[in-house]
Amino acid sequence: GGLSGAQFAVGANLARGPVTGAQFSVGANVAGADLLGLQSTVGVNVVRGSAEGAQLAVGGNIASGEVNGTQMAVAVNVAGKGLLGAQLGVGANVSGGPMRGLQAAVGANIAAGRVHGLQATAGLNVAGQMTGLQMSSGVSYARNLSGAQLSIINVGGEVDGAQVGIVNIASNVSGAQVGILNVARELDGEAVGLLSFVGGGQAHVQVWASDVALTNVGVKLGGRHIYSLFTVGYSPSIDEDRRRYVMGAGLGGHIPAGRFFFDIDAVSSTVHTKRLFDDTNHVLAQLRLTAGWQVARHFAVFGGVSANTLVTWDDSDPWKELGIGPQWRHVADEGRTTVRMWPGLLAGVQI
């Protein structure tokens, strides 16, 4: 039969029917039907129905029906038909139905139904329909997300909100992706990162000439208004100018205006004279402002100005031939460090 009251055992407590009250044991507690109250054990708590109250175990908590309350375990918590409350575990938390509340684990949180709330873990979060927040030092996955993912790796299907992590991957995003690598089949919003491959964003190759290097090639990747830029440049030896290589990266903002556009970006580069990857004691910082015209769908021309700052240290080559127009020069560290500033020009094409 059922239980109304309390059971205490070193081994196991077994109630064949519903339990209203409490079960305390070292081995296991079993309720044959619904639970209204508390189960506490070192081993395993089992409810063959719905649980309203709390299950506390070192081993695991298992309820075949819905859980309205709290499950706390070192190993595993299982709410077979859904959760209204909290699951707190070191190992894994599993909700087989809708969840409204909190799942927090070191290992994994898994919710098969619609989720309203928070999943937080060091390992893996998995949700079907997620409204709320997923946080992980590992991986978070949601088939449909309305809210945010904050993890090292975020994976989503339809995302309405934000993904913030090292790697962000989604099918369609309405919101933002912020990370080192962002990937989205379609993005209605912004992508901020080192590498962003997003539909509706920017993926261009630029070729231009400037006062720093005669030939430059750059890759421009990003969302609609924010982009990253990776550049390499080369100038042959001409008259008194030596051969030089330039390699850099930067971050910029893009303002579309019909067939015209305006870009402003900051680029940091190294300058080399013999080979591209030689050690160097020269760092060139540029603030560039350019305007462009989209001549055709996949072809544009652009030009602009730059503010250049070259820092040379350890009493190395100051690259005096770099620069046009008026210059500002400052020498420090007993002549071992030189800072030079000058205006620059650039013009090129974008495909």
Side-chain angles (χ1 to χ4, degrees), residues 125-150:
N125 290 315
V126 177
Q129 305 276 341
M130 179 75 189
T131 300
L133 175 63
Q134 290 180 313
M135 299 176 63
S136 174
S137 57
V139 180
S140 291
Y141 168 80
R143 187 176 67 251
N144 291 286
L145 171 68
S146 178
Q149 291 176 317
L150 305 176

Side-chain angles (χ1 to χ4, degrees), residues 153-181:
I153 300 175
N154 298 306
V155 181
E158 302 290 329
V159 176
D160 183 7
Q163 291 180 311
V164 180
I166 294 177
V167 177
N168 301 306
I169 301 172
S171 295
N172 298 299
V173 178
S174 178
Q177 289 182 313
V178 181
I180 294 177
L181 173 62

